[in-house]
Amino acid sequence: MPLRVFVAGATGVVGRALLPRLRERGHHVTALVRQAGRLEGGDLVDAVAVADVMDPRRLRRVVQESAPDVVVCQVTAFRHPDFDVALHRTSRLRDAGTRNLVSAAVSAGARRIIIQSMAAAYCPHGHDVLDEEAPLWTEAPGRWGEAVRAVAAMEDAVLTCPNIEGIALRYGALYGPRTWYAPGGTIHEKVRGSALPLVDDGVGLTSFTHTEDAAGVVLEMLTGGDPGAYNVVDNEPAESMEWLPAYARIVGGPAPVSLTLDQARTQLDWLTVHQLTEQRGATNFRLRETLGWRPAWPSWREGFASLCGLWPG
């Protein structure tokens, strides 16, 4: 049955993958943009709403006008070239912006809201691969702590609102077209320039998510699944000593240099050291059991190869 779907973040990497799938299913789609003319592929939507999620009054008006059954939020600010600035702005969007969107969705009579969250927010203690019951690292230092606290506030606003069904999709490291891992992206250029090293044994775990898989789960969650949080990750959490050299080979870059932990702490920012040495992976078991979901890209190995044109089909 076709639904009326309101998509905030339609121009992002997941939004771009989502719009054609919504069109294929016959849903009526309203895309939210901050500036008129920002949306490429306007033929994939039925309407374009111009508003900022940080402007609650106008946001409420355009959401009410779209009369959605489901509101989808994929808003971030990670296009900004300065990661520290991007993380700070994304934190504000996820905290205040999401609360504005929840309020607007409720006022418009939407029955469900689906938001983008992150699996990297888990506290790096305990088991190597974590499920949705693991605590979020709200006491992390610096900008990362700010980011995790914003995620926690965002999820709380969505999952505890009594007037709407809330779904939080915790993506792993997103890769696919236009992401940091695509040719020309931030990670791609760092690896090709030997600017992303291995640290000691490289035992930090990363769970990856292809943008096509993220969009596919949003599509299924329009009507499926119980309210709650779900890890949307592939089947193979990978230590940095495994995925980083493999990715370097795929993109035609040099083998990553190796640093001791002491060297890394003096040469790299804190967050990069954390990701390479302490970060924990996530399991997709809940999503697989709830929806029978299977990722189209079950391993980052094939996904990276496809992204660089090295995978058949």
Side-chain angles (χ1 to χ4, degrees), residues 42-227:
D43 57 328
L44 296 176
V45 301
D46 299 280
V48 175
V50 180
D52 191 323
V53 295
M54 301 300 287
D55 180 351
R57 182 173 299 178
R58 177 161 179 80
L59 180 65
R60 177 176 293 232
R61 183 165 64 250
V62 299
V63 175
Q64 288 178 337
E65 289 172 353
S66 73
D69 299 300
V70 181
V71 171
V72 176
C73 183
Q74 302 289 311
V75 175
T76 69
F78 285 121
R79 286 179 183 165
H80 195 284
D82 185 315
F83 178 75
D84 194 60
V85 172
L87 194 60
H88 175 63
R89 290 184 177 179
T90 297
S91 297
R92 293 185 64 245
L93 289 170
R94 284 176 166 166
D95 188 350
T98 300
R99 283 189 277 107
N100 291 340
L101 195 57
V102 170
S103 177
V106 170
S107 72
R111 65 170 184 79
R112 175 166 285 201
I113 183 169
I114 302 169
I115 62 165
Q116 175 186 145
S117 189
M118 61 180 188
Y122 289 122
C123 190
H125 299 301
H127 298 293
D128 284 348
V129 180
L130 305 175
D131 65 17
E132 292 83 353
E133 301 306 315
L136 302 182
W137 198 17
T138 55
E139 297 180 356
R143 285 282 189 224
W144 190 242
E146 176 188 48
V148 176
R149 288 188 291 275
V151 164
M154 170 185 69
E155 290 194 358
D156 183 69
V158 169
L159 300 180
T160 64
C161 182
N163 301 312
I164 196 167
E165 296 177 352
I167 303 285
L169 301 180
R170 295 173 177 171
Y171 301 149
L174 283 168
Y175 72 99
R178 302 174 185 253
T179 66
W180 291 348
Y181 295 86
T186 300
I187 299 297
H188 179 271
E189 294 305 292
K190 280 188 175 183
V191 170
R192 286 180 60 85
S194 292
L196 189 60
L198 292 172
V199 180
D200 276 348
D201 294 329
V203 296
L205 283 171
T206 297
S207 285
F208 290 96
T209 307
H210 197 291
T211 52
E212 292 178 359
D213 281 320
V217 172
V218 173
L219 194 66
E220 296 306 316
M221 283 291 183
L222 295 177
T223 57
D226 293 328

